[in-house]
Amino acid sequence: EVRLVESGGGLVQPGGSLRLSCAVFGFTLLNDDMKWDIKWVRQTPAKAREWLCSIDASDGTTYYDSSVKGRFTLSRDIAKNMVYLQMNNLKTEDSGIYYCATAQEHRGPGTRVTVSS
């Protein structure tokens, strides 16, 4: 069974940092099939779900939306079947529910991030 579980959200002040984790079950992160690429998306009341970044299953190449490039870093630990999203210099507009998901839209329940002073 394919399952993803996010963790690490919380309340942080503007300019602060958080590291989100995504534990994956039922498949391996190192995979030639691009359907197992992992992405992080953010959902807010004001916007539809927005794509933030992705990591290729085959070689770990990462891609970022311009709104987070330079502030967010996506990585993975293949042995642990974990994906991490390091978020630095957080802004109030980064607040939302963060989901990790596969290219086939398997996703976890999400973890809430609140950036507020």
Side-chain angles (χ1 to χ4, degrees):
E1 178 190 1
V2 174
R3 251 186 340 123
L4 297 90
V5 181
E6 306 91 342
S7 61
L11 173 64
V12 63
Q13 292 187 339
S17 298
L18 279 175
R19 188 176 82 152
L20 305 184
S21 299
C22 174
V24 306
F25 306 90
F27 64 100
T28 57
L29 290 174
L30 181 61
N31 203 306
D32 287 337
D33 194 335
M34 62 186 295
K35 72 181 181 183
W36 300 117
D37 294 351
I38 298 293
K39 60 183 174 182
W40 282 91
V41 297
R42 176 171 67 206
Q43 187 160 7
T44 65
K47 295 184 180 180
R49 198 171 298 164
E50 54 179 327
W51 172 82
L52 301 176
C53 53
S54 297
I55 186 164
D56 279 356
S58 60
D59 62 5
T61 301
T62 53
Y63 305 90
Y64 299 91
D65 182 77
S66 58
S67 65
V68 304
K69 193 169 186 178
R71 300 189 297 124
F72 290 13
T73 302
L74 184 54
S75 62
R76 64 182 180 176
D77 186 326
I78 293 169
K80 294 182 178 179
N81 249 18
M82 296 288 294
V83 177
Y84 303 103
L85 181 63
Q86 177 66 43
M87 307 188 296
N88 297 328
N89 192 22
L90 283 161
K91 306 175 181 181
T92 54
E93 53 264 40
D94 291 319
S95 296
I97 301 175
Y98 284 66
Y99 300 90
C100 59
T102 67
Q104 290 190 311
E105 299 298 335
H106 298 97
R107 64 178 176 90
T111 187
R112 183 177 293 276
V113 172
T114 303
V115 185
S116 175
S117 55

